[in-house]
């Protein structure tokens, strides 16, 4: 069945507090042994004291962390200078450093032959290991190549590549020469890629000839060729060879690996200011085009490094396995920057959870001896359905911590992950954060590692994070056992600094809704004990398999179809994907069209205009959309219709034409019936 009539996946409510709680007792509880920089924090006795210190004396905390964990070319003079009302955020002012030196050179000095990357290629058993020495060499050659080909400090390079060592080298090469990178998920269509290249004003694009995923070849270079036709800023496309198949090369294209061989293996790192841009990363909002969030050098790297160390309890020598794509913030912070800053061995996963079979993750865990595994609820729910035998087949005794990210994890999936995958031994850390926050903000660790974890709850704020729940009047809710809009009450070094070329939008989206606070767009519940549970988005952002997509972006594409007058895209509960996309479309009166063909056409348009994951599972044609008297589409009502929750339709007093709701309900029931018959 395509969609569930009665949603099975509901967020656990507060009643979940009666569920089992899990305790995992780690080693030492001596604060300064566990966090060396805490030795200077007078009066801090235990880890909850450390949490209070990190929030109450944030400047001292972050200054010590920044001195301890980063290598500086010039020390910073101020710790922070932030004013949410202007969206002004500065950390470690006056400091200079180079991110690639922090991620590579300093580890090469100590242990050049340590493995930095394990490239888990699509075909199981064909992994490639890259040492810190080799990765530095690749990065330097590529940095020199980019410099020679005119990429300047302050420029921006778009990277359209699947997870692979050259993609990481490309990110770090940009960091080395002071250019920003803009990684675009290699599943995005040519149009979506073009939009991001244009907005970022990139003159250089880096890609591969073809991608390989789930045994299938993906024509990435061809997609780039199509994209750059509408990107006048692009002067060159560097093409690496992932497969042996040649692709058509034009005058603008550069054979990347061949030219890299001609370059020197030493590349002078640029001395970057703390607040220079490290990267842009596009993410969906509730309105308008995707936002290019800007992250800067020192604060971002420090936050990625600290969260990687303490949320996952990473220790020197561990193999860290984050299976997110590098095109998302999770890949940036926990496949690349956090682990490399900490000198870890990090896995780059090129495949899918079910290739060649649903045992892939666990076979990989056994083969690579992964210690921390970081994945998404959507994959866990999918694998759960295939049964325990795929997990039991492999030895998972190397695992120490299991992480989850991207969307709420339902209790059933949490319990399965903990019991079956982790054999009940490994803490499951449900980590809440966003592209905007740069790194994990709420997670069971680290403030009290010996304390309980409740399934399905993100639990506790990270060091330096002060969450706040707001009511509908914009006042902070200070009591426990309450729900509200999730804000963060004080700045932290990992947060995004602005939206590229649109600082006003940054202020309007994050700083204006609750003056003095950073607004996340999510809702949350705070339990009696003060633990947090994320309840989902408050705006029109849909989360499909952990990937954000705005309803407006999908509607934009649907409305481009000549037969369509208007449309409403909504997210509905989906067993595996968390949310699926469902679209209502109104046709222009004159058109006479076959519904099935139109549906297919519209789905293809979304795949082509955005990406496959954004495609509606179902398209329902209606005469009119329910709107308020002021003309706003009531997506909230449509969502309830699709979830068959007619008691939950809520306040209809502003509804202009009640017949529109009746029509939506009837049409939806007809579709449900059809699905069940099939
Ligand atoms: C890391 C990432 C961010 C949005 C965020 C939430 C949702 C992410 C969780 C979660 C519940 C979680 N960045 N989200 N993690 N919801 N529990 N542990 O996903 O920018 O792509 O998305 O994802 O709605 O606002 S993101």
């Amino acid at each position: 069945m395509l969609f569930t009539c009665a949603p099975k996946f509901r967020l656990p409510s507060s009643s979940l507090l009666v569920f089992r709680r899990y305790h995992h007792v780690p080693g030492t509880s001596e604060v300064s042994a566990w966090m060396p920089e805490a030795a200077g924090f007078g009066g801090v006795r235990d880890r909850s004291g450390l949490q209070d210190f990190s929030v109450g004396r944030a400047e001292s905390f972050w200054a010590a962390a920044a001195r301890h964990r980063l290598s500086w070319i010039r020390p910073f003079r101020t710790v922070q200078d932030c004013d949410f009302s202007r969206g002004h955020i500065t950390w470690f002012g006056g400091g200079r450093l180079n991110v690639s030196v922090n991620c590579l050179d300093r580890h090469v000095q100590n242990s050049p032959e340590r493995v930095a990357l394990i490239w888990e290629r699509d075909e199981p058993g064909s992994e490639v290991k890259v040492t810190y020495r080799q990765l530095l060499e690749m990065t330097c050659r590529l940095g020199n190549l980019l410099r020679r080909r005119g990429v300047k400090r302050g420029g921006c390079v778009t990277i359209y590549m699947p997870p692979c060592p050259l993609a990481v080298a490309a990110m770090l090469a940009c960091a080395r020469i002071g250019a920003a990178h803009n990684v675009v998920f290699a599943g995005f269509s040519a149009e979506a890629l073009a939009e991001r290249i244009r907005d970022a004003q990139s003159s250089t694009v880096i890609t591969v000839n073809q991608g390989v995923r789930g045994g299938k070849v993906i024509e990435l270079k061809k997609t780039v060729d199509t994209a750059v036709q509408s990107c006048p800023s692009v002067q060159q496309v560097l093409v690496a060879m992932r497969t042996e198949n040649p692709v058509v090369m034009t005058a603008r294209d550069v054979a990347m690996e061949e030219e890299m061989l001609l370059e020197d293996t030493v590349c002078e790192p640029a001395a970057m200011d703390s607040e220079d841009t490290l990267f842009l990363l596009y993410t969906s909002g509730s309105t308008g085009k995707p936002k290019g969030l800007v992250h800067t050098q020192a604060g971002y790297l420090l936050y990625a490094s600290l969260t990687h160390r303490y949320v996952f309890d990473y220790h020197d020598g561990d193999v860290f396995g984050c299976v997110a794509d590098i095109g998302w913030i999770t890949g940036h912070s926990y496949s690349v920057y956090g682990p490399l800053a900490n000198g870890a061995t990090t896995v780059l996963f090129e495949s899918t959870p079910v290739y060649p079979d649903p045992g892939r993750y666990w076979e990989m865990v056994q083969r690579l001896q992964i210690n921390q595994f970081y994945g998404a609820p959507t994959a866990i729910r999918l694998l759960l359905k295939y049964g325990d035998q795929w997990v039991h087949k492999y030895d998972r005794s190397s695992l120490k911590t299991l992480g989850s990210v991207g969307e709420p994890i339902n209790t059933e999936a949490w319990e399965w992950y903990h019991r079956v995958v982790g054999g009940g031994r490994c803490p499951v850390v449900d980590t809440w954060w966003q592209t905007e926050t740069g790194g994990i903000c709420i997670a069971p660790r680290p403030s009290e590692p010996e304390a309980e974890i409740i399934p399905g709850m993100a639990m506790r704020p990270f060091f330096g994070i002060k969450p706040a729940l707001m009511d509908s009047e914009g006042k902070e809710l200070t009591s426990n056992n309450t729900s509200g809009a999730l804000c963060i009450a004080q700045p932290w070094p990992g947060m995004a600094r602005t939206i590229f070329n649109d600082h006003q939008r940054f202020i309007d989206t994050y700083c204006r809704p609750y003056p003095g606070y950073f607004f996340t767009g999510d809702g949350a519940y705070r339990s009696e004990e003060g633990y947090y549970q994320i309840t989902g988005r408050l705006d029109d952002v849909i989360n499909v398999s952990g990937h954000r997509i705005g309803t407006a972006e999908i509607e934009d594409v649907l409305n481009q179809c000549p037969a369509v007058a208007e449309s409403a895209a909504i997210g509905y509960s989906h067993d595996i994907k968390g949310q699926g996309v469902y679209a209502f479309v109104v046709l222009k009166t004159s058109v006479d069209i076959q519904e099935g063909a139109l549906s297919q056409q519209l789905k293809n348009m979304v795949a082509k205009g955005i990406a496959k994951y954004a495609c509606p599972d179902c398209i329902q044609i209606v005469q009119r959309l329910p709107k308020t008297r002021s003309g706003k589409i009531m997506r909230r009502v449509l969502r309830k219709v699709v979830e068959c929750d007619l008691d939950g339709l809520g306040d209809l007093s502003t509804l202009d034409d009640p017949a529109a709701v009746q029509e939506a309900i009837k049409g939806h029931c007809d579709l449900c019936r059809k699905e069940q018959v099939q």
Side-chain angles (χ1 to χ4, degrees):
M1 209 174 81
L2 208 51
F3 46 84
T4 54
C5 222
K8 286 186 204 113
F9 165 38
R10 278 212 187 281
L11 269 176
S13 67
S14 54
S15 66
L16 144 147
L17 294 176
V18 300
F19 273 49
R20 267 180 71 187
R21 287 150 190 249
Y22 296 88
H23 295 255
H24 296 272
V25 183
T28 175
S29 60
E30 187 64 42
V31 171
S32 58
W34 181 67
M35 183 185 233
E37 50 269 61
F41 302 158
V44 172
R45 300 212 190 295
D46 53 20
R47 293 178 194 178
S48 87
L50 186 55
Q51 179 65 28
D52 295 342
F53 184 91
S54 73
V55 173
R57 299 198 38 210
E59 293 218 2
S60 307
F61 177 85
W62 288 115
R67 282 191 202 104
H68 184 88
R69 301 194 77 83
L70 299 182
S71 296
W72 295 87
I73 296 171
R74 189 173 86 182
F76 51 90
R77 293 201 200 95
T78 55
V79 181
Q80 62 157 316
D81 173 16
C82 304
D83 174 3
F84 275 161
S85 66
R86 290 184 292 135
H88 173 80
I89 299 135
T90 301
W91 283 87
F92 311 117
R96 291 220 176 120
L97 78 172
N98 184 281
V99 165
S100 77
V101 169
N102 276 274
C103 290
L104 300 172
D105 305 51
R106 58 177 179 164
H107 308 310
V108 171
Q109 254 169 28
N110 301 332
S111 37
E113 299 312 316
R114 174 180 289 189
V115 175
L117 309 175
I118 305 179
W119 182 23
E120 173 69 2
R121 302 194 323 157
D122 194 47
E123 219 43 60
S126 70
E127 74 272 12
V128 172
K129 293 183 176 162
V130 179
T131 65
Y132 272 94
R133 185 181 51 74
Q134 292 168 322
L135 185 57
L136 175 60
E137 192 181 307
M138 281 163 78
T139 301
C140 284
R141 285 181 189 271
L142 189 45
N144 287 329
L145 176 59
L146 291 173
R147 259 190 192 141
R148 191 167 55 75
R149 291 195 147 268
V151 177
K152 296 265 173 331
R153 180 177 171 141
C156 176
V157 174
T158 294
I159 299 173
Y160 186 71
M161 298 167 102
C164 61
L166 278 173
V168 175
M171 294 163 79
L172 294 170
C174 289
R176 194 149 194 102
I177 66 170
H181 58 68
N182 167 33
V183 182
V184 178
F185 171 55
F188 275 126
S189 67
E191 283 162 47
L193 170 62
E195 186 181 12
R196 287 159 175 77
I197 295 174
R198 279 196 303 266
D199 194 81
Q201 299 152 22
S202 282
S203 56
T204 301
V205 177
I206 307 183
T207 190
V208 294
N209 63 334
Q210 296 177 316
V212 183
R213 196 160 180 268
K216 294 196 195 77
V217 168
I218 308 154
E219 300 291 346
L220 296 179
K221 165 69 163 57
K222 281 197 187 139
T223 307
V224 172
D225 287 343
T226 311
V228 299
Q229 280 172 10
S230 59
C231 300
S233 62
V234 174
Q235 286 162 5
Q236 54 188 347
V237 177
L238 275 54
V239 185
M241 298 295 283
R242 166 61 184 85
T243 66
E244 276 159 19
N245 307 328
V247 283
V248 178
M249 299 286 275
T250 67
R252 168 208 71 199
D253 300 329
V254 178
M256 185 165 101
E257 290 134 303
E258 281 172 32
E259 294 215 359
M260 277 170 72
L261 286 176
L262 307 175
E263 297 293 338
D264 205 273
T265 55
V266 177
C267 175
E268 181 63 22
M272 303 303 289
D273 288 331
S274 296
E275 285 298 337
D276 284 335
T277 298
L278 177 62
F279 64 85
L280 316 185
L281 187 60
Y282 284 83
T283 194
S284 298
S286 55
T287 53
K289 56 181 179 133
K291 306 175 276 205
L293 286 161
V294 174
H295 283 282
T296 57
Q297 314 267 330
Y300 169 80
L301 189 67
L302 174 64
Y303 198 72
S305 145
L306 204 72
T307 47
H308 171 254
R309 162 70 183 87
Y310 290 104
V311 172
F312 298 100
D313 198 26
Y314 165 79
H315 282 85
D316 214 35
D318 285 347
V319 177
F320 190 80
C322 166
V323 291
D325 193 281
I326 53 157
W328 312 114
I329 190 69
T330 307
H332 281 60
S333 301
Y334 301 108
S335 293
V336 181
Y337 287 112
L340 295 181
N342 293 340
T345 297
T346 181
V347 175
L348 299 170
F349 185 66
E350 186 184 46
S351 194
T352 84
V354 289
Y355 183 77
D357 60 49
R360 175 58 183 265
Y361 279 167
W362 325 123
E363 185 272 326
M364 172 178 78
V365 164
Q366 171 183 297
R367 179 163 37 80
L368 306 182
Q369 290 291 289
I370 290 172
N371 301 113
Q372 290 88 9
F373 180 87
Y374 194 26
T378 183
I380 305 301
R381 286 193 292 269
L382 178 70
L383 297 178
L384 181 158
K385 290 202 190 295
Y386 284 100
D388 301 2
Q389 70 278 13
W390 290 106
V391 186
H392 290 151
K393 235 177 125 176
Y394 303 102
D395 174 24
R396 287 119 36 236
S397 58
S398 60
L399 288 173
K400 296 193 282 191
T401 311
L402 297 171
S404 167
V405 62
E407 46 171 328
I409 179 163
N410 50 313
T411 337
E412 188 195 6
W414 195 105
E415 295 274 2
W416 186 81
Y417 202 23
H418 181 258
R419 181 177 50 81
V420 179
V421 175
R425 290 180 304 108
C426 311
V428 170
V429 291
D430 173 9
T431 62
W432 175 87
W433 59 295
Q434 312 176 291
T435 307
E436 291 84 343
T437 69
I440 295 162
C441 286
I442 305 182
R445 299 306 190 241
S447 46
E448 295 174 63
E450 49 287 275
E452 63 188 356
I453 303 180
I454 301 171
M457 290 192 97
M459 304 293 292
R460 304 174 181 82
F462 188 71
F463 295 133
I465 298 294
K466 190 177 175 194
L469 299 181
M470 316 301 286
D471 70 11
S472 50
E473 255 97 73
K475 279 207 291 292
E476 184 171 345
L477 296 156
T478 50
S479 60
N480 283 352
N481 191 14
T482 186
S483 297
L486 178 64
C487 289
I488 302 179
Q490 65 187 36
W492 66 102
M495 67 187 297
R497 303 300 195 252
T498 186
I499 292 173
F500 186 66
N501 264 337
D502 200 350
H503 191 61
Q504 192 56 46
R505 188 171 176 198
F506 182 82
I507 296 173
D508 293 346
T509 311
Y510 306 111
C511 305
R512 274 243 307 251
Y514 301 95
Y517 297 80
F518 176 87
F519 174 50
T520 68
D522 284 336
Y525 166 74
R526 184 168 53 224
S527 75
E528 204 57 72
E529 297 114 310
Y531 300 145
Y532 289 87
Q533 176 175 39
I534 312 304
T535 49
R537 299 290 307 184
L538 299 171
D539 55 20
D540 286 328
V541 174
I542 307 178
N543 190 326
V544 184
S545 304
H547 305 322
R548 280 162 68 161
I549 184 76
T551 54
E553 283 168 87
I554 299 170
E555 289 161 12
D556 257 8
V557 174
L558 296 173
N559 296 348
Q560 278 164 25
C561 174
V564 171
E566 58 177 348
S567 61
I570 57 138
Y572 68 99
S573 303
H574 186 286
D575 270 5
I576 289 171
K577 297 192 283 190
Q579 281 191 298
V581 179
Y582 191 108
F584 292 86
V585 299
V586 178
L587 301 183
K588 290 182 185 151
T589 41
S590 54
V591 293
D592 173 26
I593 214 148
Q594 207 237 326
E595 282 196 16
L598 178 70
S599 265
Q600 199 48 54
Q601 185 193 346
L602 291 172
K603 288 178 193 177
N604 293 344
M605 284 177 74
V606 177
K608 184 159 172 291
I610 309 173
K612 277 215 184 91
Y613 77 85
C615 274
D617 297 317
C618 189
I619 291 177
Q620 181 179 338
I621 293 167
V622 288
Q623 300 294 320
R624 54 187 104 57
L625 296 169
K627 291 188 182 171
T628 62
R629 281 186 213 111
S630 64
K632 290 201 178 69
I633 299 172
M634 294 176 84
R635 292 191 189 75
R636 161 180 71 81
V637 171
L638 290 172
R639 199 175 305 129
K640 294 293 176 189
V641 169
V642 173
E643 295 190 340
C644 298
D645 181 8
L646 299 187
D647 297 334
L649 288 179
D651 178 19
L652 296 178
S653 61
T654 56
L655 180 65
D656 185 41
D657 179 4
V661 178
Q662 291 315 316
E663 190 205 340
I665 294 171
K666 176 160 186 316
H668 176 66
C669 290
D670 291 348
L671 273 173
C672 280
R673 225 170 291 126
K674 248 195 254 163
E675 283 293 330
Q676 267 156 358
V677 174
Q678 270 166 16

